[in-house]
């Protein structure tokens, strides 16, 4: 049977009601709190007994303190005088226990206790959740701008959706925890004026739920990266994760090492922050250098994958493979999937002796999996190149106009006109919940249109 | 409307200042108050520590000596004036009680 156990605590630092209740419950089950830290709470086995626990607050304490300060030791001496033994501390939070039947509580004045809690909260939970809220708002705002600028691209990327959800969860956490604290504080102040203590709210279940959701979003981002097929994205993400883990270990390791060396809290704080900033900047620099190197080495060059539709299939011509450059990109999410393919003449063929004016081909297939997004996506594609007012003054049309869908085997067909009565060889085709944009270097024949419909339309494969 | 700090003393604050009429250390106060009040008033060790810090910061008491971690305090003139003022308030309250309800009435 193990004599120690460890658990992660989801209680807020100021949630003394539930911290005390939990520790008393653990003691009754034979586990006495021994240590509180960032990696959880540690217990040691004891005979099950009824103990009273008291969560107290020493605002001047810090997680950077090398040891208990004289003030904390004096506080502990006062408490010991009335039978309270110090079990563990974590920053401003101190946990005491008492084996007496009906001990005098450590805190007997609610107003004084409330002030100590608030001073402690200002140095810990309020800063943490304020930062979380700010980070969530900044991330969400940035992603919202991307969503508004390119909604189809954004919604088609699983990683973007998961990251956006994570940002929203951070905002929710920060807002709920901060509001929860200040609402409780308001009630507690009113109660203290009447000489009464106000129980603290239990936010542990909410914290667990948010953590579970964030982990889910993280898993979503990772899966999206793994299945993206983009080697550079995979490499950079992998390196970033490894570096973040090392950074976390280095920062915490620095803090703990300096504590063991009995370095003062202020020096420890400055050194730990310095390590954090320097290693963070170094990480960004190394990742950028790595990304440039990857590009130089051509590691991220797209594969010459099989395209579902090629110019050869449309024109019937058989060109040497090296005459063409082919690229594809693929992204998907539960809401949308988007596949883009390009086939165009390799640059090295544009030489005077053996240059061939080869026909090029571009197409993008957008599968709208969420029906409520269909109209948004279609309208977005139809109006993606709407002319600016100045362009309109010069007579540019830049719009899709309805065309005959029958040759394409489609439900709708739209042809792009850059000038009145001057269409381009560019179409937007609708096949059920599939939108196909195709751009050709030549005017297609009816047979070629049918081939496009067969290969890329509803029954087409990719 | 919240009470301004030390405008009106709580019972615990009153007895802390009363105990510091003469030089005492914090732990002596913990024992003295329940003894003085026949157990009617008890002060928590954490509350006592915080209030001693607050009184010292406000100049109501001053530290007289330190023996290791044991600090002794004594009332200052400002603290004495504060105690006197609160005593007069309590006396006025008692006088109002007697006037309204009469000495023989329960």
């Amino acid at each position: 049977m193990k004599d120690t156990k460890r658990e992660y605590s989801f209680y807020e630092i100021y949630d003394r009601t539930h911290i005390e209740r939990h520790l008393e419950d653990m003691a009754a089950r034979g586990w006495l709190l021994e240590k509180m830290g960032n990696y959880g709470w540690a217990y040691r086995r004891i005979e099950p007994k009824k103990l009273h626990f008291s969560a107290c607050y020493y605002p001047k304490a810090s997680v950077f303190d090398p040891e208990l300060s004289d003030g904390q030791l004096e506080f502990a001496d006062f408490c010991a005088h009335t039978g309270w033994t110090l079990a563990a501390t974590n920053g401003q939070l101190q946990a005491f226990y008492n084996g007496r039947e009906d001990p005098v509580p450590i805190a007997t004045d609610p107003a004084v206790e409330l002030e100590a809690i608030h001073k402690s909260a200002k140095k810990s939970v309020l800063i943490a959740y304020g930062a979380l809220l700010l980070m969530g708002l900044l991330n969400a705002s940035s992603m919202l701008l991307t969503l508004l600028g390119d909604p189809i691209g954004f919604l088609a990327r699983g990683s973007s959706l998961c990251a956006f959800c994570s940002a929203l969860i951070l905002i929710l956490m920060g807002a709920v925890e901060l509001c929860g604290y200040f609402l409780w504080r308001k009630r507690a102040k009113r109660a203290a004026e009447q000489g009464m203590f106000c129980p603290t709210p239990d936010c542990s279940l909410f914290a667990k739920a948010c953590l579970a959701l964030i982990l889910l979003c993280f898993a979503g981002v990772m899966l999206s990266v793994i299945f993206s097929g983009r080697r550079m994205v995979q490499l950079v993400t992998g390196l970033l994760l490894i570096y973040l883990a090392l950074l976390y270990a280095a920062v915490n390791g620095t803090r703990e090492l300096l504590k063991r060396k009995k370095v003062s809290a202020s020096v420890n704080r400055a050194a730990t922050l310095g390590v954090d900033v320097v290693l963070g900047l170094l990480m960004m620099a190394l990742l950028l250098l790595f990304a440039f190197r990857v590009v130089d080495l051509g590691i991220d060059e797209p594969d010459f994958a099989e395209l579902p539709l090629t110019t050869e299939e449309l024109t019937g011509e058989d060109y040497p493979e090296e005459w063409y450059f082919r690229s594809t990109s693929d992204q998907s999410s539960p809401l949308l999937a988007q596949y883009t393919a390009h086939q165009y003449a390799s640059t090295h063929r544009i030489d005077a002796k053996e240059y061939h004016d080869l026909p090029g081909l571009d197409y993008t297939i957008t599968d709208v999996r969420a029906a409520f997004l269909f109209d948004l996506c279609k309208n977005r594609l139809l109006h993606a190149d709407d002319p600016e007012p100045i362009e309109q003054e010069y007579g540019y049309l830049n719009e899709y106009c309805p065309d005959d869908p029958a040759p394409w085997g489609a439900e709708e067909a739209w042809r792009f006109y850059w000038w009145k009565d001057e269409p381009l060889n560019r179409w937007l085709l609708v096949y059920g919940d599939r939108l196909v944009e195709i751009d050709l270097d030549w005017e297609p024949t009816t047979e070629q249109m049918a081939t496009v419909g067969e290969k890329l339309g509803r029954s087409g494969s990719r | 409307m919240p009470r301004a700090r030390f405008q009106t003393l709580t019972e615990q604050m009153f007895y802390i200042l009363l105990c510091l009429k003469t030089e005492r250390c914090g732990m002596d106060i913990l024992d003295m108050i329940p003894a003085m009040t026949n157990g009617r008033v008890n002060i928590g060790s954490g509350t006592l520590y915080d209030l001693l810090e607050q009184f010292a910061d406000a100049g109501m008491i001053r530290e007289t000596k330190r023996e290791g971690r044991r600090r002794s305090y004594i009332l200052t003139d400002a603290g004495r004036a504060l105690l006197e003022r609160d005593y007069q308030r309590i006396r006025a309250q008692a006088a109002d009680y007697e006037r309204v309800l009469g000495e023989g009435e329960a």
Side-chain angles (χ1 to χ4, degrees):
Chain A
M1 206 182 335
K2 283 166 56 170
D3 290 332
T4 57
K5 81 187 278 182
R6 186 176 280 274
E7 65 177 9
Y8 190 81
S9 165
F10 287 89
Y11 297 111
E12 294 304 337
I13 184 176
Y14 70 93
D15 186 8
R16 55 164 172 65
T17 305
H18 297 93
I19 290 174
E20 290 166 1
R21 202 174 288 171
H22 179 69
L23 294 176
E24 285 168 359
D25 181 52
M26 292 297 282
R29 292 195 275 136
W31 294 102
L32 181 66
L33 180 72
E34 208 170 38
K35 196 176 173 190
M36 292 192 284
N38 290 341
Y39 306 109
W41 292 359
Y43 299 83
R44 63 177 169 83
R45 190 176 284 285
I46 58 166
E47 278 298 313
K49 58 175 81 166
K50 187 175 178 342
L51 292 176
H52 293 278
F53 269 87
S54 181
C56 307
Y57 302 89
Y58 192 83
K60 292 178 187 170
S62 163
V63 291
F64 294 97
D65 288 334
E67 55 198 359
L68 293 181
S69 63
D70 285 345
Q72 278 177 290
L73 290 170
E74 189 184 356
F75 188 101
D77 289 341
F78 272 42
C79 294
H81 192 75
T82 50
W84 292 94
T85 306
L86 181 63
T89 66
N90 185 19
Q92 295 84 24
L93 174 63
Q94 309 185 97
F96 289 85
Y97 65 90
N98 195 319
R100 294 180 190 173
E101 184 71 31
D102 188 19
V104 175
I106 293 178
T108 49
D109 187 325
V112 172
E113 187 199 36
L114 192 58
E115 194 174 335
I117 290 176
H118 190 55
K119 282 181 181 172
S120 301
K122 281 196 292 188
K123 288 174 77 170
S124 56
V125 67
L126 297 186
I127 292 177
Y129 284 114
L132 215 59
L133 181 62
L134 188 63
M135 205 163 62
L137 285 169
L138 287 172
N139 279 341
S141 312
S142 162
M143 283 186 261
L144 205 57
L145 285 173
T146 308
L147 172 64
L148 291 172
D150 178 20
I152 296 177
F154 186 91
L155 294 172
R157 279 191 298 273
S159 57
S160 298
L161 283 180
C162 290
F164 189 59
C165 290
S166 298
L168 293 179
I169 293 167
L170 289 183
I171 292 171
L172 184 68
M173 269 183 85
V176 168
E177 295 286 357
L178 288 173
C179 288
Y181 171 76
F182 284 108
L183 283 171
W184 167 79
R185 178 170 155 76
K186 191 174 168 185
R187 288 198 308 275
K189 277 170 88 172
R190 277 205 296 268
E193 284 167 17
Q194 310 302 322
M196 295 189 297
F197 290 93
C198 181
T200 48
D202 184 4
C203 298
S204 59
L205 197 60
F206 175 73
K208 285 178 195 168
C210 286
L211 181 64
L213 286 173
I214 285 179
L215 288 175
L216 207 62
C217 290
F218 177 75
V221 171
M222 289 298 108
L223 286 172
S224 184
V225 166
I226 289 166
F227 290 110
S228 71
R230 293 294 309 274
R231 274 173 289 182
M232 176 146 96
V233 171
Q234 290 163 349
L235 283 170
V236 168
T237 304
L239 283 175
L240 187 62
L241 287 175
I242 293 169
Y243 201 104
L244 284 172
L246 290 173
L247 180 65
Y248 183 79
V251 168
N252 281 293
T254 302
R255 187 186 65 218
E256 295 306 313
L257 175 68
L258 292 178
K259 279 167 77 167
R260 280 198 298 276
K261 299 273 185 207
K262 309 290 185 199
V263 170
S264 74
S266 52
V267 171
N268 190 340
R269 187 182 295 112
T272 303
L273 186 62
V275 165
D276 195 1
V277 169
V278 166
L279 288 183
L281 289 172
L282 188 63
M283 174 182 73
M284 294 312 300
L286 286 174
L287 282 173
L288 275 172
L289 283 171
F290 175 77
F292 288 138
R293 190 77 185 121
V294 161
V295 170
D296 283 343
L297 289 174
I299 291 173
D300 194 43
E301 274 183 9
D303 292 331
F304 285 89
E306 287 287 318
L307 270 61
L309 176 71
T310 61
T311 54
E312 291 89 334
E313 284 171 318
L314 286 176
T315 60
E317 299 288 340
D318 195 13
Y319 302 110
E321 199 174 285
E322 65 272 16
W323 283 17
Y324 268 112
F325 183 72
R326 297 171 180 80
S327 74
T328 63
S329 70
D330 196 348
Q331 52 192 16
S332 74
S333 76
L335 300 177
L336 289 174
Q338 204 171 47
Y339 175 88
T340 302
H342 306 281
Q343 183 181 8
Y344 48 89
S346 300
T347 53
H348 73 275
R349 297 313 306 170
I350 307 177
D351 58 275
K353 207 170 178 184
E354 293 185 60
Y355 173 72
H356 295 270
D357 187 12
L358 300 173
L361 172 67
D362 289 289
Y363 51 90
T364 300
I365 302 170
T366 304
D367 285 318
V368 184
R369 293 168 174 165
F372 69 93
L373 289 174
F374 185 81
D375 286 338
L376 167 78
C377 293
K378 186 177 118 183
N379 289 331
R380 187 78 190 182
L381 292 174
L382 282 174
H383 299 287
D385 291 306
D386 280 356
E388 299 293 322
I390 186 101
E391 290 175 323
Q392 282 178 329
E393 281 178 28
Y394 282 100
Y396 285 102
L397 211 56
N398 279 7
E399 69 178 21
Y400 278 103
C401 297
D403 201 22
D404 184 7
W408 301 96
E411 285 147 36
E412 292 176 48
W414 303 77
R415 189 167 187 178
F416 192 81
Y417 285 74
W418 75 289
W419 197 264
K420 193 172 176 223
D421 298 329
E422 290 194 36
L424 297 181
N425 294 315
R426 180 174 152 191
W427 283 265
L428 175 65
L429 308 167
V430 178
Y431 297 93
D433 56 5
R434 172 172 285 195
L435 298 158
V436 177
E437 297 169 278
I438 186 160
D439 199 340
L440 301 162
D441 279 352
W442 70 97
E443 178 87 27
T445 63
T446 310
E447 290 76 24
Q448 287 169 342
M449 290 179 184
T451 304
V452 168
E454 279 167 30
K455 295 286 184 178
L456 303 184
R458 208 64 184 97
S459 58
S461 62
R462 64 160 200 87
Chain B
M1 186 84 176
R3 181 180 57 234
R5 178 171 284 194
F6 308 144
Q7 184 184 336
T8 309
L9 298 180
T10 63
E11 213 169 20
Q12 293 170 89
M13 291 176 181
F14 180 88
Y15 280 103
I16 291 171
L17 293 177
L18 194 62
C19 288
L20 290 175
K21 182 176 84 73
T22 52
E23 181 187 275
R24 291 191 205 285
C25 76
M27 279 184 265
D28 292 340
I29 299 172
L30 278 175
D31 296 329
M32 206 175 154
I33 290 177
M36 188 192 292
T37 59
N38 289 323
R40 185 176 58 80
V41 180
N42 267 303
I43 183 164
S45 43
T47 299
L48 174 64
Y49 180 93
D50 288 337
L51 284 174
L52 287 173
E53 293 272 299
Q54 290 179 24
F55 282 141
D57 288 341
M60 300 300 160
I61 63 175
R62 64 177 173 85
E63 190 179 312
T64 53
K65 68 177 178 213
R66 187 188 282 251
E67 291 161 322
R69 289 201 296 265
R70 285 169 72 97
R71 288 188 284 173
S72 297
Y73 301 89
I74 195 165
L75 212 54
T76 61
D77 289 343
R80 198 176 291 271
L82 178 66
L83 194 58
E84 173 66 25
R85 194 178 75 216
D86 209 64
Y87 168 63
Q88 294 303 331
R89 180 187 65 79
I90 294 167
R91 283 190 66 185
Q93 263 184 293
D96 290 338
Y97 174 87
E98 283 169 16
R99 188 177 62 254
V100 171
L101 289 179
E103 202 165 60
E105 279 180 67

